[in-house]
Amino acid sequence: MQNQTRVATNATGSRSRAEFEKRISMLPKEIQVGLANQSLQAVDTAYYVVKTISGSKVIKMFKDDDNKVVGSSNISSGKLEKGNYFLLYGLQLLGGVGDNNDSPGSVNYDVVPDYMRNGEFEFKANGTVLVPNTSCEVFQTTGKDTFKGLWILDNPKIIRDQQSIELNIEWSANAPQNSYLKAILRGTAVIKA
């Protein structure tokens, strides 16, 4: 009876959380103990950063001089805070164009524009390449039953605390003026209970 309850909980819970639970043994022992004694908890979360790409063909979405600013980023210095481990379940990339008075937080974002779909990206964390050069076409979700611009990883990755995160994107045509990109890392994070 107890096993049936656990299976039902996993089936109805977050897919990201279920992937996280499969990988708990990959976390440091102190994190495993904290999760077991409930001083830590696993929560669904989305880390994001917004960058202007006006006139550009290349962008580094996470930088070590980034600061948390509502509407622009909720991650500082391009890395997770000490003790924060994160299972990256999906990458989401959105584009938007504002007017001269808009800030990153006031732009409406949608699937990436056509000139970006022919580009490519690379994602690095934990001192290694987690996603090698891949077509930005994976972010084209029009007509699909998912969040706009969300690419779900077949093999989710754990990102360790205080390790540089890089999402580097390149495309062939200069972006129009007042263009922005928003990158969102979706998954499950460990936080204090």
Side-chain angles (χ1 to χ4, degrees), residues 9-154:
T9 301
N10 284 341
T12 58
S14 154
R15 290 179 289 174
S16 173
R17 183 169 173 111
E19 292 294 331
F20 179 82
E21 288 174 356
K22 290 179 191 176
R23 291 165 174 80
I24 285 178
S25 64
M26 299 169 71
L27 296 170
K29 205 59 153 170
E30 66 271 11
I31 301 293
Q32 293 179 45
V33 169
L35 289 167
N37 70 22
Q38 298 181 346
S39 64
L40 297 174
Q41 61 179 325
V43 296
D44 292 341
T45 195
Y47 295 108
Y48 73 93
V49 65
V50 177
K51 299 285 183 185
T52 181
I53 58 168
S54 299
S56 297
K57 293 183 188 179
V58 62
I59 190 73
K60 292 180 182 282
M61 292 301 292
F62 294 93
K63 295 183 179 179
D64 58 4
D65 62 350
D66 288 341
N67 293 311
K68 289 183 183 181
V69 176
V70 173
S72 293
S73 179
N74 66 351
I75 187 169
S76 288
S77 305
K79 56 184 78 167
L80 301 175
E81 294 175 4
K82 184 170 176 55
N84 186 353
Y85 284 75
F86 176 70
L87 177 78
L88 177 64
Y89 181 72
L91 287 167
Q92 188 173 13
L93 190 65
L94 302 169
V97 178
D99 62 32
N100 291 333
N101 300 323
D102 282 333
S103 66
S106 60
V107 172
N108 288 322
Y109 295 93
D110 207 331
V111 294
V112 292
D114 290 341
Y115 66 86
M116 291 210 65
R117 290 184 193 148
N118 294 322
E120 58 185 45
F121 72 97
E122 179 181 63
F123 184 82
K124 299 179 182 178
N126 304 331
T128 189
V129 175
L130 298 183
V131 179
N133 286 343
T134 300
S135 171
C136 289
E137 187 67 31
V138 298
F139 301 112
Q140 166 46 302
T141 56
T142 302
K144 296 180 181 174
D145 186 23
T146 186
F147 288 107
K148 289 180 181 180
L150 177 62
W151 180 51
I152 296 174
L153 303 176
D154 288 332

Side-chain angles (χ1 to χ4, degrees), residues 160-175:
R160 297 189 308 262
D161 65 342
Q162 298 188 309
Q163 300 290 313
S164 292
I165 298 170
E166 294 182 37
L167 176 56
N168 304 316
I169 309 167
E170 189 172 359
W171 56 95
S172 60
N174 287 339

